[in-house]
Amino acid sequence: MLYSCGLRRAELLGLDVGDVDFGRGTVYVRRGKGGKARYVPLGRRAAAWLASYLDSARRSLVRDPRERALFLGARGRRVTRSRLTERLRGYLVAAGIGKPGSCHIWRHTMATLMHDRGADIRVLQELLGHAHLSTTAIYTHVSVERVREVHRRTHPAEAADNV
């Protein structure tokens, strides 16, 4: 969900079961940065994995039926920031990914790849919950390949009939 929804670590850990709407394919982020709430799309693959988690793993972790936290630890309580960071860092190391960070790398990667595939920067701004467009621009460095492709496709001197 960090990758699918572009969530911050605190946003992910702040989710409750009722914040996920499988029918609409959305997640309601109630506690975004700066207290800003927003809806974000939940991708099909993430939805399938989340449904599986809810049907099996979470069900076995629940100790108190009143617990609303979406993601639970072994003791049946909301997963902590440090535990999530530790677990994800271990996965990145095991996968041979040598980049720093563990949680934020998923958000950054999602935004960069979506931008590379044509997502408008203002849509990314809304998705990521940024107050200022300049913050979003930091996450969406344009790849050299994309710059070349746009240049080839749009520059007047590069039109097929001029070659």
Side-chain angles (χ1 to χ4, degrees):
M1 288 185 65
L2 290 168
Y3 179 71
S4 178
C5 301
L7 300 177
R8 296 174 179 96
R9 176 180 61 181
E11 292 170 343
L12 177 81
L13 297 175
L15 293 176
D16 289 341
V17 173
D19 295 333
V20 179
D21 185 337
F22 286 100
R24 290 179 59 204
T26 60
V27 174
Y28 182 56
V29 179
R30 288 176 285 115
R31 300 176 211 145
K33 193 170 184 178
K36 192 175 166 189
R38 70 187 188 284
Y39 285 94
V40 296
L42 175 64
R44 289 176 302 172
R45 289 178 66 191
W49 282 107
L50 183 59
S52 177
Y53 163 78
L54 288 170
D55 289 341
S56 58
R58 187 183 186 283
R59 197 174 297 232
S60 68
L61 293 169
V62 172
R63 301 279 189 273
D64 179 352
R66 296 171 297 179
E67 178 60 68
R68 302 311 312 151
L70 181 59
F71 294 108
L72 301 177
R75 294 189 177 107
R77 291 184 295 234
R78 192 176 297 272
V79 173
T80 64
R81 289 185 322 226
S82 60
R83 182 67 180 131
L84 178 65
T85 298
E86 174 186 304
R87 171 81 43 108
L88 289 177
R89 185 171 292 127
Y91 294 151
L92 291 174
V93 168
I97 298 172
K99 292 187 176 193
S102 59
C103 296
H104 206 73
I105 193 172
W106 303 106
R107 176 177 166 87
H108 178 86
T109 300
M110 182 229 41
T112 301
L113 293 176
M114 284 184 69
H115 189 258
D116 281 354
R117 296 188 75 181
D120 183 87
I121 194 164
R122 294 214 181 265
V123 171
L124 290 174
Q125 177 186 9
E126 182 68 26
L127 180 64
L128 295 170
H130 289 157
H132 305 286
L133 194 57
S134 59
T135 306
T136 309
I138 294 166
Y139 289 85
T140 56
H141 301 290
V142 181
S143 68
V144 171
E145 295 81 22
R146 179 144 192 258
V147 171
R148 260 191 252 140
E149 165 58 20
V150 170
H151 180 270
R152 184 197 58 72
R153 219 174 0 99
T154 62
H155 193 282
E158 295 296 317
D161 56 325
N162 291 339
V163 178

